[in-house]
Amino acid sequence: SPLLIGKQQGAWKRSLPRYITANNDSLLWAGPQQALVRDDDYFRRYHQVWTLDQYTIDQHAAHWNDPGYETPYAIATWPGNGNTANGEPARLAPFKDQDNDGLYEPEAGDHPLIRGDRAAYTILHSDVNYSSALDMQCDMHVLVYNYVEPSFADRYNSTFINLRMINRSGTDYDSVRFGM
């Protein structure tokens, strides 16, 4: 599992434990770091993996305003924005914002931005309030992607992983290290 560590005033802090504790504390939770409520609505929104392909995204971009068009589930539920009233970050997953208003609105032509031809995306977080083995709060955005075009021999049949770690602790760290 991933590990993020950093120094704070000379002491090492970690986003994930060095070992699993005896009481089986959870290492990562679904969704972004948030301050208020983890209720059923929160888990319905974030306890999932969004799988997309570029063709579906291109079709949405071209036809979102056509009569009778139905937005695919992964595009309709893409976590572009968090619920700020619940303490979640305003911007989460990357998206094309057609009207530049900062809001993810697939019904207005906005759509996810992915890498490659096919991708899977999820958001996880560590939380010191729910695990006694953690020192540092962070979000981890995971994008797994590949290319399906055989003419791209250097990328075809390869899987790529893009991990974006975001410090949500409100504390600055130096000497930050990441490992798997």
Side-chain angles (χ1 to χ4, degrees):
S1 76
L3 174 67
L4 183 69
I5 61 172
K7 277 189 181 176
Q8 176 191 27
Q9 299 175 347
W12 286 103
K13 304 292 182 179
R14 62 194 184 283
S15 67
L16 295 175
R18 287 174 241 177
Y19 53 86
I20 296 176
T21 60
N23 61 355
N24 289 323
D25 286 335
S26 178
L27 305 182
L28 293 171
W29 295 79
Q33 181 63 244
Q34 50 78 34
L36 303 174
V37 178
R38 271 195 208 125
D39 57 8
D40 288 343
D41 180 55
Y42 177 86
F43 284 107
R44 267 192 298 281
R45 283 185 288 128
Y46 297 119
H47 201 264
Q48 60 182 304
V49 174
W50 291 267
T51 56
L52 290 160
D53 58 65
Q54 192 60 52
Y55 176 80
T56 302
I57 293 170
D58 293 344
Q59 289 299 303
H60 174 75
H63 301 288
W64 65 270
N65 207 22
D66 291 354
Y69 174 78
E70 291 187 32
T71 303
Y73 177 81
I75 293 174
T77 63
W78 185 252
N81 297 114
N83 179 357
T84 56
N86 192 36
E88 299 165 23
R91 287 295 285 254
L92 293 173
F95 63 93
K96 173 66 176 163
D97 189 0
Q98 300 290 16
D99 59 5
N100 294 313
D101 66 355
L103 299 175
Y104 179 68
E105 303 163 310
E107 67 281 358
D110 294 351
H111 56 82
L113 293 175
I114 63 169
R115 297 179 185 201
D117 298 321
R118 295 183 301 201
Y121 189 85
T122 195
I123 301 172
L124 304 166
H125 73 273
S126 62
D127 192 338
V128 297
N129 297 319
Y130 289 90
S131 178
S132 61
L134 305 176
D135 301 318
M136 180 191 299
Q137 294 173 313
C138 69
D139 284 358
M140 182 170 65
H141 293 237
V142 181
L143 177 69
V144 179
Y145 62 98
N146 65 7
Y147 296 87
V148 297
E149 177 55 50
S151 63
F152 297 124
D154 60 332
R155 294 176 280 190
Y156 183 65
N157 281 336
S158 296
T159 299
F160 299 90
I161 301 174
N162 178 269
L163 296 175
R164 186 170 63 135
M165 304 295 281
I166 302 166
N167 179 3
R168 299 286 187 210
S169 66
T171 303
D172 291 333
Y173 295 92
D174 62 61
S175 305
V176 174
R177 306 285 192 271
F178 175 81
M180 292 291 281

